[in-house]
Amino acid sequence: MPKAKKNTHNLLQVTNEMDWTSSWRKTLFLLLKDIPTSLYPLIASISIDGTSATTLFVNSKTGEPLCRPYLYNESCPEALEEVQSIAPENHTVCSGSSTLCKLVSWWNSHDFDRDSAMLLHQADWLLWLLHGKLGVSDYNNALKVGYDPAMDSYPSWLLYQPYSELLPSVKAPGAAIGYIKEDIRVQFGFQKDCVVCTGTTDSIAAFLAARATQPGKAVTSLGSTLAVKLLSTNRVEDARFGVYSHRLDDMWLVGGASNIGGTVLKQNFTDEQLEHLSEQINPSEPSPLDYYPLPSVGERFPLADPKMEPRLQPRPDSDVEYLHGILESIARIEAKAYSLLKELGATQVQEVFTAGGGARNVQWIKIRERVLGLPVRRAVQTEAAYGAALLALKGSEQKIL
């Protein structure tokens, strides 16, 4: 079996076998348990960020999953033609990995669960565990199911579809939903007026954490994947390239998420090797190696191609040269992404902040500065969780209706 196809098979096998929702639930309550006892009474509000387009179908009365979740990077190409037939040309949902394609795929293959089903995103479901009001989302997470943040409503072409009954209600990110459930409050010692708020996606939370507030400022999140967000005065969307715009107050966060990133590095190097080998790279010297370092078949941005093959050959004898080639190739793709956003009409990028695990690699930042031709600096706060905390702070000031 060719290596790319073997990697794809292994990824699907792990996806199918892993009990994702149980692991998410367990992790959430382990995190709550880790909070020092003295701090519980001081917590005024809670919000959560989750991966964009990670989609759950749950029982509309119990909230329990009806099947395994569709993960952010899974594609449903069998649903794409149907989605393209109802959505505007090159709309954000016209991508096999969009939430709407996942909804259509599920709808067409699950006749028996339709009447009792509801669609939620990863962050929605985890927040529901805390507030207990089933069926609430935010307009960042809902974008890829077709929600129009400019109109602040679902479009008519979507509401006319039979599966529209599964769609959650939508609020602004950081909007107060309700107080924390009584059993959880008692278990951990939260105050009765601790508010649970709507969340956002992980890359938007990382952007909020970086405190980039001016048009032209951008944040690249270097985690398992590479996510680009540029603050723009113009809204830009084009599904051909995996480009979409999230609303951020009266401006737009334009960008997309590539499947390249830290996953490929983890597949080839240990953390210790990455640190040791990176120190030996001369970031001022370009690498002649030209890779497209995908972890498996399929790309979302800056070109939406579910059939794109990874390109990680030839591999030199030197591990330092190989790592240099991968880091430089990711930087070139990042540069292509920002160039594409400008071509499509977004505000010109002026400065890039870095968030995520890749922000710790000094050599990589210097490589990216050379390739991008822009100042690149590590955000003061590099964790998306900090951005979610800022949303929670916003929600703490609101009244529960």
Side-chain angles (χ1 to χ4, degrees):
M1 181 182 291
K3 186 175 181 181
K5 292 184 178 179
K6 184 176 181 181
N7 286 342
T8 303
H9 173 75
N10 290 341
L11 178 62
L12 290 173
Q13 185 177 18
V14 170
T15 298
N16 288 326
E17 292 177 356
M18 180 71 178
D19 188 349
W20 292 103
T21 51
S22 292
S23 68
W24 297 338
R25 188 198 311 250
K26 181 178 180 180
T27 301
L28 172 62
F29 284 96
L30 284 174
L31 287 171
L32 293 179
K33 187 177 180 181
D34 282 346
I35 297 172
T37 305
S38 60
L39 296 182
Y40 287 118
L42 304 178
I43 297 173
S45 54
I46 299 172
S47 184
I48 295 175
D49 66 272
T51 50
S52 174
T54 294
T55 310
L56 292 85
F57 297 96
V58 304
N59 184 289
S60 58
K61 292 190 174 18
T62 68
E64 290 304 310
L66 298 172
C67 61
R68 71 162 184 85
Y70 290 69
L71 302 186
Y72 68 95
N73 58 351
E74 287 186 67
S75 183
C76 298
E78 74 283 356
L80 186 54
E81 184 175 351
E82 182 175 341
V83 169
Q84 289 174 329
S85 72
I86 62 171
E89 186 178 9
N90 299 327
H91 192 280
T92 302
V93 299
C94 296
S95 166
S97 61
S98 73
T99 310
L100 185 56
C101 277
K102 291 163 185 172
L103 170 55
V104 170
S105 177
W106 182 89
W107 180 264
N108 290 338
S109 58
H110 286 75
D111 291 345
F112 52 90
D113 284 329
R114 288 178 175 181
D115 293 339
S116 61
M118 174 177 289
L119 182 150
L120 291 176
H121 308 89
Q122 182 188 36
D124 307 336
W125 187 75
L126 289 170
L127 287 164
W128 164 74
L129 294 174
L130 301 181
H131 60 66
K133 296 184 179 181
L134 198 57
V136 184
S137 187
D138 65 89
Y139 59 59
N140 292 154
N141 272 297
L143 183 76
K144 292 184 182 179
V145 78
Y147 191 83
D148 188 334
M151 295 174 55
D152 205 8
S153 66
Y154 289 109
S156 58
W157 58 261
L158 180 57
L159 293 176
Y160 288 150
Q161 307 309 315
Y163 41 76
S164 65
E165 296 180 1
L166 277 67
L167 298 173
S169 64
V170 177
K171 296 176 179 288
I177 302 172
Y179 297 116
I180 197 163
K181 289 168 60 179
E182 182 65 11
D183 58 334
I184 297 175
R185 186 194 72 78
V186 172
Q187 179 183 353
F188 293 100
F190 290 102
Q191 292 287 350
K192 286 186 176 182
D193 59 355
C194 178
V195 175
V196 182
C197 312
T198 50
T200 187
T201 67
D202 51 357
S203 58
I204 289 183
F207 190 94
L208 295 174
R211 299 294 186 100
T213 59
Q214 299 298 317
K217 304 295 185 181
V219 173
T220 298
S221 299
L222 292 168
S224 57
T225 60
L226 180 145
V228 164
K229 289 285 184 289
L230 167 66
L231 194 59
S232 171
T233 56
N234 302 320
R235 183 183 185 182
V236 176
E237 293 189 349
D238 198 321
R240 295 173 300 170
F241 308 105
V243 174
Y244 51 90
S245 292
H246 281 285
R247 180 179 162 190
L248 188 64
D249 296 325
D250 60 347
M251 287 189 283
W252 297 95
L253 274 182
V254 182
S258 169
N259 288 337
I260 64 171
T263 297
V264 170
L265 298 176
K266 297 288 187 180
Q267 288 175 347
N268 290 278
F269 306 100
T270 65
D271 290 343
E272 292 75 18
Q273 287 175 320
L274 284 172
E275 183 176 356
H276 177 67
L277 295 172
S278 293
E279 291 173 350
Q280 301 176 61
I281 293 174
N282 183 349
S284 64
E285 292 186 3
S287 169
L289 298 170
D290 182 22
Y291 299 140
Y292 207 104
L294 292 166
S296 58
V297 175
E299 176 61 308
R300 298 176 290 160
F301 168 77
L303 181 65
D305 183 359
K307 297 180 180 179
M308 182 179 284
E309 299 272 352
R311 188 173 74 247
L312 284 159
Q313 298 293 333
R315 177 165 184 162
D317 293 333
S318 167
D319 285 342
V320 175
E321 291 179 18
Y322 188 49
L323 177 59
H324 189 178
I326 294 175
L327 297 183
E328 181 117 0
S329 295
I330 293 175
R332 292 186 195 122
I333 295 165
E334 180 186 4
K336 181 179 179 181
Y338 282 117
S339 177
L340 172 66
L341 298 184
K342 179 186 176 184
E343 291 174 18
L344 294 176
T347 300
Q348 169 74 48
V349 60
Q350 299 174 356
E351 183 179 22
V352 176
F353 296 89
T354 295
R360 295 190 292 269
N361 192 316
V362 177
Q363 282 78 9
W364 199 1
I365 289 178
K366 291 179 179 178
I367 289 171
R368 292 167 56 220
E369 279 194 319
R370 171 172 51 78
V371 173
L372 291 171
L374 293 167
V376 178
R377 59 191 178 98
R378 189 171 183 259
V380 175
Q381 295 290 344
T382 61
E383 294 298 329
Y386 186 85
L390 293 176
L391 282 180
L393 180 62
K394 177 181 176 182
S396 68
E397 300 167 354
Q398 302 172 22
K399 292 182 179 180
I400 303 295
L401 301 178

